[in-house]
Amino acid sequence: MQGSDCVDEERFKVRKLEISDKKKGFVELLQQLTVCDAVSDKDFEERFQELAACGDEHVICVIEDDQTGKIVATGSVFIEKKFVRNCGKVGHIEDVVVDSSVRGMQLGKKIVGFLTDHACSMGCYKVILDCSDENRPFYEKCGYKQKSVQMAKYFV
């Protein structure tokens, strides 16, 4: 391992979302992924508390750049409890995004690895995610493979 890799490990640690992360650019980071309007402090706190009540069943992780104090990567996983597979569980990974200023530094891989490991530790028999064709090579590098076709119906 090179010396700079050790520095980056210290600089970019994966951890769970904290209430203070809104002020560190969390919502702005999500805006690099998809439609995400401004979120008031009150709405953020209410949603944060709602998700916190889910415990390990719904985890949002982030990477904070220790040099800038900004949130530069995030992703989430929630656990679906099923009747199939002996009342098994499935992890669903969502909302993975890395800030454009630090892409190419393996932070997305760290996020996906953290979320995948969490789902495994929760007893999931599989983890699934949806992605665009252009992001498929990235997820393949993370150990995922195309399994089926995604369908969606949006409610406007």
Side-chain angles (χ1 to χ4, degrees):
M1 188 181 283
Q2 298 173 330
S4 63
D5 289 340
C6 293
V7 172
D8 286 345
E9 285 297 316
E10 285 300 310
R11 179 179 171 190
F12 299 111
K13 291 182 183 169
V14 182
R15 61 168 172 78
K16 291 182 181 180
L17 180 72
E18 297 171 356
I19 192 80
S20 60
D21 290 335
K22 181 179 187 292
K23 291 180 175 53
K24 296 176 181 180
F26 176 73
V27 174
E28 291 79 7
L29 177 62
L30 290 175
Q31 291 170 343
Q32 293 183 39
L33 176 67
T34 190
V35 176
C36 182
D37 297 327
V39 178
S40 72
D41 290 348
K42 178 181 180 283
D43 288 346
F44 186 86
E45 184 171 348
E46 285 176 4
R47 180 53 45 99
F48 180 88
Q49 297 302 337
E50 182 180 6
L51 293 172
C54 296
D56 288 337
E57 301 288 318
H58 191 134
V59 169
I60 299 173
C61 68
V62 298
I63 295 177
E64 179 180 348
D65 182 342
D66 279 355
Q67 290 182 359
T68 65
K70 288 287 193 187
I71 301 300
V72 295
T74 187
S76 66
V77 64
F78 69 91
I79 310 302
E80 175 189 7
K81 295 177 181 177
K82 305 184 74 79
F83 285 103
V84 301
R85 302 269 181 138
N86 296 313
C87 293
K89 298 178 192 174
V90 174
H92 295 264
I93 291 180
E94 290 280 339
D95 302 335
V96 175
V97 61
V98 175
D99 188 273
S100 58
S101 69
V102 292
R103 288 186 189 145
M105 297 178 70
Q106 306 295 311
L107 301 184
K109 195 170 185 181
K110 285 179 79 164
I111 290 286
V112 172
F114 180 93
L115 298 171
T116 301
D117 290 347
H118 178 75
C120 183
S121 74
M122 292 293 291
C124 293
Y125 69 88
K126 72 176 179 179
V127 182
I128 58 178
L129 57 84
D130 296 323
C131 70
S132 64
D133 279 335
E134 66 188 33
N135 289 334
R136 189 168 47 158
F138 164 73
Y139 288 106
E140 288 171 344
K141 288 178 188 172
C142 294
Y144 287 76
K145 61 183 178 183
Q146 185 173 355
K147 176 72 175 156
S148 56
V149 175
Q150 176 207 40
M151 304 291 287
K153 184 173 184 174
Y154 285 83
F155 302 104
V156 181

